[in-house]
Amino acid sequence: MITAEGITRTFPGRGSMLHREPVRALRGVDFTIPDRGAVSFIGESGCGKTTLGRILCGFEEFDGGDLIIGGQSMKALPSRNRAPYFRRIQMIHQDPYSALNPTRTIGQILADPLELRARQTGASSNWAAERRAELLGLVGLDPDYVVPRYPHMLSGGMRQRVVIARALTVDPEVLVADEAVSMIDVSLRLGILQLLQDLRAKVGVSVLFITHDVATARYLGPDTTLYVIYRGMVIEHGSTDTIIQHPAHPYTQCLLSAIPVLRGIEQPGPDRLIPLAPLDERSQPPGCLFQPRCPQAADDCRAAVPALTTGGDFVQEHACLHPRTRSVVATASSGAG
Amino acid sequence: MSVTAALPPEQLQQAVTRSRKVSASRWRLLVRTPGRVISLVIVLFFTLMAIIGPYLYPKNLPINSNDIYAPPSTAHLLGTDFEGTDILALIITGARYVLLAAFIAALVTLVIGTAAGLFAGYYPRSAGRPIMRVTDFVLAIPGVPLLMVLATIWSFGSPQQMGLVLGITGWGGIARAVRAQTLSLRERGFVEAARGLGIPGRRVIATEILPNVAPYVSMNLMMQLTGFIYTEVGLFFLGVVKYSSSNWGVMLNNAVFQADALTSTRALSYLLSPLICILLLTISLVTLANVGDEIFNPRLRRI
Amino acid sequence: MTAPAKETETSTVAVRVRDLTVCFRTQEGSLPAVSRVNLDLVRGQITGLVGESGSGKSTLALTLLNAVPAPGQVAGSVEIDEVGDVLELRKGALRKVRGASIGYVFQASQNSLNPLKRVGKQLLDLGRSHGERDSRALVGRARALLDDMGLDATRVLSSYQHELSGGMRQRVGIVFALLLNAHVLILDEPTTALDMLSQAQVMEIIRRVHESRHLTTLIISHDMSVIGDLADRMAVMYAGRVVEEGPTASVLATPRHPYTRALLTAMPRITGDIAGAKALPGRPPDLTSIPRKGCVFEPRCPLATPDCLSEEPPDTYAGDHRFACFVTAGEAQ
């Protein structure tokens, strides 16, 4: 189980030497990833969700707050001792091509971590070859076909499966899928999503799914939770189905409103919302961060940053002073196929 | 021309005929075109000449004062020099110094430069800093003038000595370039993944980074070889480095300054023979340079 | 495939693609990336072309500009209103048509803008290369278009390409395509690599610009939901063939081709029963693995019969909606 408490991260920011504004990528994020669970982070680009994923894998430092992996606080450990903990969390990158070394075959790519493992546990290298075949089968690939090939000879979906198999070589607890299906053909996406779902059941791994496409977050299996992130803050959090059907925060409602509606088989939600302005990463509004773009902002929204609470019509936590029920998601038209 | 060039963009990465053996031999690439075959033959020929040449002739080549600057004939295929020594013999025995020195120099720059670049790039904040200080120092050393100064006190009797000096002063450029590539490769998904999987740094450098800088390094190696050949030939030609027995550079020096080969046709063969050998060798090396890219980059291999 | 049985009236069709085939030479012979495609772009409508990697949709889009890269061989005709057959044009005439009659918007992520020149300068260059001498008028038009896109014209004109976000670059690309008052607009993957909000914004802009300038628009995308929202008519491509085509609402509500149906069930959706979703087996074919004989979709088709191996199915028509399948052709309405 992974718990994050109040994670903050500020980047020094670009600009000239005289005028460099720091960018607050994360402003105190709390989340929990239960064992065998599935958690999704959604938000537009630049909201900090990718940074959060990278912090979780140990590729980025966090400036404040704490990350507790398997009961051990990372803040309490010096950097060089953290590696074994972060090894339990493996990243599935967005680009399945650059995630695999183009000069090595799939067999070699998978053999590396497995042989390392074999040496550490004293197992034979035969074990490594067998385990490799086992993992490839687990992710739905034919070992005989895939092992002698180079990455550029496989489709995007197959490469992504290889990346997942490689992540599984160290028996991780969490797979962080950062836009893992965005660069794959639509017809192949469901396969990867269902694979992640299967792995939760078969191998006991949990999945952190980072995406801007909310629809994909529905296909990770039962009991999935969703965190909506805006400019480094969690502004809504709860069960995926609840949030999609009954979003509380206007930003979530904007995100869901933006989903294209299929003519002939879907009707648009009647209360769809559009943000008033594009995202300005440098603005520092008083009070609620979303207020300058919010179609329903009121005066007290400028007074203080709303805290995450439940209440009113909504069972999920949300950070809005005036949440209102809106029907924004498309519904199936009558007479549809 | 080739399969990959003929395909539309979206097919480019998927176009491998499934019926062929997947892991084709990389070394077949060396003989893929006639140009490469000829270059390979030339390089092998001169290498053999360098290795075996001196054994074919006595240590001191015979001189014949009656037959100086003779034009090519059946007795002397390339003519004779100012002492009446057969030019062909001079060429064959003179190859060793030139090639050996260049080879040693290239080897030294390859090993030191690549290692320095890899470690400086992979550990930019720790080992990287001192390595780059040293690299900058080496880059600032003017190689040729230094050799010229050293030549006043050191006669560079053996090719190993010259090769070593050239190498030790010349690895800066390759270190810089390899470091830059390593820095950017370090951020690529597969390198990050390898680190995340707990693979130790040295192994990551060897298996993930090195194969990806290998194309650059191998091309650079060929170009460095030609550069070193020109440097040493130039040094001998200028007469800066005195050498007792002959090599191609010394031959050029003698031809131009003793036989006035640039103004008269008396010793044309004496001038042209080493010149043509040098040209053939360097052109062949350059032609083979881009094979390196294909050998190490599976995507470019047009199997 | 036979020519469409129903010829639409000349005046309503702005772009008429007939029997279009694009072949590439490979070690296994000359293989088609696009095979005998017939397609009409109705004037004033948005047509969507949906296909995955290897479907040939990008190649098809390039033929509309007669810009298929050299080793490709093109056969057939692409007739554009007021221009004639684009495939017959060469050099000077072709250059004039590109930009002035047909605007092409590249994918934003392909960074098709020159990184070393400011956007404004590139726009002027574009105009001048087409003989437009009046810089003031050009800039005025560019500003108006940029305003239409919701961009700060002054800022964008003086920016370099890397100073603009993905969504902004995409919109600038549309400005480039429309600067010379083209009447046909082709957008290649206009929303790929954009997040949801930027995507919705760009889609709205496309809709607005299409209506206000009375364009004929072709959108190419692998994302069926974008096409399903924007396009009036849609065509589905698979392995170089158009397997289904018709009014969007009709194609989505009553998909006739097994591939279209499979795509719809395999598409992650925000509504609907997730248990009904089924992944498509296999993978999209590349040039060398397209079946040479019979229906190209047969290897992955749940409805395949032995007949499907012998020849390619002809187009069947259900009103304005055509599709190419032996099996579903026999189904009742």
Side-chain angles (χ1 to χ4, degrees), chain C residues 17-20 34-39 60 237 240-242:
Chain C
V17 176
R18 287 287 175 272
D19 215 26
L20 184 69
V34 174
S35 174
R36 316 204 66 191
V37 163
N38 297 307
L39 188 62
L60 176 55
M237 269 190 90
R241 282 104 174 129
V242 170

Side-chain angles (χ1 to χ4, degrees), chain C residues 6 22 37 107 209 216 313:
Chain C
K6 249 174 48 135
V22 181
V37 163
Q107 234 181 308
V209 154
T216 304

Side-chain angles (χ1 to χ4, degrees), chain C residues 7-234:
Chain C
E7 279 285 350
T8 37
E9 292 161 29
T10 324
S11 58
T12 65
V13 176
V15 177
R16 187 177 280 110
V17 176
R18 287 287 175 272
D19 215 26
L20 184 69
T21 304
V22 181
C23 283
F24 288 88
R25 269 179 302 113
T26 70
Q27 287 181 339
E28 296 174 14
S30 197
L31 297 174
V34 174
S35 174
R36 316 204 66 191
V37 163
N38 297 307
L39 188 62
D40 287 343
L41 300 186
V42 177
R43 178 178 305 133
Q45 286 196 356
I46 302 179
T47 306
L49 189 58
V50 177
E52 300 177 294
S53 30
S55 60
K57 62 188 192 302
S58 305
T59 312
L60 176 55
L62 288 175
T63 60
L64 296 181
L65 284 180
N66 197 359
V68 174
Q73 291 151 327
V74 186
S77 72
V78 175
E79 299 215 355
I80 301 188
D81 236 9
E82 295 163 27
V83 166
D85 187 354
V86 166
L87 298 178
E88 304 271 309
L89 298 178
R90 299 273 172 270
K91 293 219 173 185
L94 188 57
R95 229 171 31 83
K96 268 210 316 200
V97 159
R98 292 176 186 166
S101 300
I102 313 165
Y104 195 101
V105 183
F106 292 90
Q107 234 181 308
S109 58
Q110 281 177 352
N111 287 338
S112 51
L113 297 173
N114 186 334
L116 301 175
K117 279 195 196 170
R118 295 183 199 269
V119 170
K121 178 122 193 342
Q122 294 181 54
L123 284 167
L124 283 179
D125 285 345
L126 173 62
R128 285 203 213 107
S129 72
H130 279 257
E132 299 248 357
R133 299 263 159 251
D134 191 352
S135 306
R136 277 248 191 105
L138 265 180
V139 172
R141 278 215 300 274
R143 283 180 161 272
L145 277 165
L146 286 166
D147 284 335
D148 260 352
M149 304 278 151
L151 292 171
D152 177 351
T154 315
R155 188 186 146 208
V156 169
L157 286 175
S158 60
S159 298
Y160 289 96
Q161 154 298 115
H162 60 265
E163 293 171 342
L164 306 173
S165 74
M168 291 167 91
R169 284 204 293 269
Q170 188 66 69
R171 283 176 274 172
V172 168
I174 299 177
V175 170
F176 268 82
L178 295 175
L179 190 67
L180 302 169
N181 298 319
H183 62 91
V184 175
L185 181 65
I186 304 173
L187 299 123
D188 189 356
E189 301 281 2
T191 60
T192 306
L194 296 180
D195 65 56
M196 279 294 167
L197 291 177
S198 304
Q199 174 175 285
Q201 206 176 21
V202 169
M203 283 169 68
E204 184 52 38
I205 285 171
I206 294 174
R207 228 188 304 256
R208 250 207 338 249
V209 154
H210 167 87
E211 276 170 23
S212 67
R213 299 169 81 96
H214 310 291
L215 300 172
T216 304
T217 307
L218 175 66
I219 304 181
I220 299 147
S221 182
H222 69 275
D223 190 342
M224 185 160 327
S225 58
V226 170
I227 303 282
D229 190 324
L230 266 182
D232 301 309
R233 293 185 69 85
M234 69 182 272

Side-chain angles (χ1 to χ4, degrees), chain A residues 44-45 155 158 185-190 194 212-213 215 218-219 254 258-266 329-330 337, chain C residues 52-53 194-197 199 222 225 228-232 252-253 266 268-272 277-280 282-284:
Chain A
E44 60 194 313
S45 11
S155 75
M158 293 169 89
D185 283 332
V186 177
S187 70
L188 302 175
R189 283 185 195 177
L190 195 63
Q194 286 178 340
H212 68 264
D213 179 358
R218 295 178 71 209
Y219 294 84
C254 287
I259 297 175
V261 173
L262 299 171
R263 295 191 197 193
I265 49 176
E266 285 177 354
V329 169
Chain C
E52 300 177 294
S53 30
L194 296 180
D195 65 56
M196 279 294 167
L197 291 177
Q199 174 175 285
H222 69 275
S225 58
D229 190 324
L230 266 182
D232 301 309
L252 293 176
R269 302 254 300 271
I270 196 75
T271 52
K278 237 172 62 92
L280 252 178
R283 48 185 275 205

Side-chain angles (χ1 to χ4, degrees), chain B residues 111-167:
Chain B
V111 171
I112 302 182
T114 310
L118 284 172
F119 280 93
Y122 195 74
Y123 300 108
R125 283 177 294 264
S126 52
R129 285 192 211 204
I131 294 180
M132 287 324 284
R133 290 292 147 269
V134 175
T135 308
D136 288 337
F137 175 70
V138 168
L139 273 172
I141 297 176
V144 172
L146 178 72
L147 275 161
M148 286 163 71
V149 167
L150 282 175
T152 59
I153 48 171
W154 192 1
S155 74
F156 290 114
S158 76
Q160 289 91 322
Q161 291 172 349
M162 172 161 283
L164 217 57
V165 175
L166 278 174

Side-chain angles (χ1 to χ4, degrees), chain A residues 54 59 87 90 93 97-104 112-113 116 145 148-150 152-153 159 166 169-170, chain B residues 13-14 16 18 22 26 188-190 192-193 196-200 203 207-208 211-212 296-299 301:
Chain A
R54 289 174 63 79
F59 296 143
R87 201 162 305 144
Q90 287 295 319
H93 287 89
Y97 189 77
S98 72
L100 296 174
N101 189 337
T103 61
R104 311 187 79 208
D112 258 358
L116 185 69
Y145 179 79
R149 283 181 159 74
Y150 287 93
H152 67 274
M153 298 172 180
R159 282 184 228 136
R166 181 180 63 185
T169 57
V170 291
Chain B
Q13 291 178 347
Q14 297 172 323
V16 177
R18 310 256 180 266
V22 171
R26 334 176 146 187
R188 291 266 287 271
F190 61 89
E192 250 187 13
L197 288 166
I199 299 184
R203 197 164 161 79
T207 57
E208 311 290 341
N212 284 288
F296 294 109
N297 189 342
R299 268 188 296 169
R301 275 183 235 155

